[in-house]
Amino acid sequence: MHPVVVITAASGGLGASTLAAVSATVLARECSPTLVDAAFGGGGLDATVAVEHVEGLRWGDLAEHEGAVDAARLRGSLPSGPVPVLAVRGRRPDPAAVRDVVTGLAAVGPVVVDLPCSGRIPPVWGQLADAVIVLVGVRPRWLRDGEALVDALGESRESALLVTRGPRRAERVADRAADHLGLPLLDHLVDDPGVVRDEAHGRAPRPKGPVGQVARALAAALPAPSTPLADRVLELAS
C-alpha cells in the first residue's frame, strides 16, 4: 500500500493547494500518484491545476460508491493535468465512500490530499493519512493559528510534519517554530512570486523554485510502508 499524504494549512492563503499539486507532480516522476481534493463545498482543486474544463469523474460521481474500486480504471477516468486529480463537484460523498476510494487509489500509487484550512483534521482523513503535512506561517497571528491546529490534531499528531511559510529571511526561525509547535520540521517554504505568475497565466503550478524544493523534500521523506514518516525525516536529517 502506498502512502496517503494529507496537506493542510493552519491559516488560509499559505499555499497548501499549490504544495499538494506540486508534490503530486514530483512524485509522478517515479510512481503513479493521484491528487485528491478534500475541500468539499469549495471551488474544486481541478481549477488549481488548470483542468476544470476537462471531462472526467469528480467526487459527486462517486458519492454513492460502495466497496472496492478499480483504481487503474478510476485514475484513467479522472481529468488529468500534471497528474490525475479527483476534484470536488456535485454531491458530497459520505465518509465510507471517501475511505473506499482513497484506499483503492493508494493501492496503485501515493495519494496526495489537499485538505482545506478548517482548524481540524476530519476523522476520515485522520484515519486514512500516513502523513499529515501542516503548513504554518511565521507571522505571530499565523503561529497562533498553528498552535490551535496542532492542539486539535489528536492522534494525527504522531504522523504530522511541519512546513513553515514566509520570506527567505524567516528560514532562521523555522527550527524555533518547530520546537514551539512540537512538530518535526520538514522544510521552510519561501514566498515565491512565480506561483502567482503561473496562476495568472492559467498554468498549473510547476515543480520549480521554492515550492518545488519543498515538494522534493517531501518526496524524499516518504518511507517504506513499515516506517513512520517522522522517523524517515529524522534519518534524512542525521
Side-chain angles (χ1 to χ4, degrees):
M1 188 70 67
H2 296 270
V4 176
V5 181
V6 172
I7 299 180
T8 192
S11 311
L14 292 180
S17 297
T18 298
L19 179 58
V22 173
S23 296
T25 303
V26 168
L27 288 169
R29 295 170 177 172
E30 297 187 359
C31 51
S32 300
T34 306
L35 181 60
V36 171
D37 192 353
F40 301 121
L45 187 58
D46 48 358
T48 299
V49 293
V51 295
E52 66 270 32
H53 301 302
V54 176
E55 293 295 324
L57 297 180
R58 267 73 174 182
W59 267 121
D61 301 302
L62 303 172
E64 298 182 2
H65 176 82
E66 295 181 0
V69 299
D70 182 338
R73 183 178 179 185
L74 174 57
R75 291 182 82 253
S77 300
L78 299 176
S80 186
V83 298
V85 55
L86 178 52
V88 165
R89 187 180 297 174
R91 180 180 165 189
R92 182 188 186 116
D94 63 29
V98 169
R99 189 175 298 109
D100 289 341
V101 169
V102 173
T103 300
L105 291 171
V108 299
V111 177
V112 181
V113 180
D114 174 32
L115 182 66
C117 167
S118 67
R120 67 187 187 95
I121 306 295
V124 65
W125 296 113
Q127 294 160 9
L128 286 167
D130 296 292
V132 177
I133 308 303
V134 179
L135 193 57
V136 176
V138 294
R139 295 178 184 174
R141 169 59 191 274
W142 287 343
L143 285 170
R144 291 296 298 274
D145 291 342
E147 291 172 1
L149 177 56
V150 170
D151 286 344
L153 284 177
E155 294 182 0
S156 296
R157 184 166 183 161
E158 296 180 4
S159 59
L161 297 172
L162 175 67
V163 173
T164 53
R165 168 70 194 275
R168 189 172 300 280
R169 65 179 181 275
E171 285 181 306
R172 62 182 181 271
V173 303
D175 287 325
R176 295 205 299 272
D179 288 341
H180 175 70
L181 295 171
L183 295 181
L185 179 66
L186 177 66
D187 208 342
H188 177 71
L189 177 56
V190 176
D191 297 335
D192 183 4
V195 171
V196 178
R197 288 195 296 270
D198 283 341
E199 183 178 7
H201 287 88
R203 294 191 293 250
R206 294 174 287 177
K208 57 187 293 187
V211 69
Q213 171 188 315
V214 176
R216 289 188 291 274
L218 173 56
L222 287 182
S226 60
T227 306
L229 183 63
D231 289 353
R232 175 64 177 145
V233 170
L234 293 175
E235 290 173 8
L236 293 171
S238 62

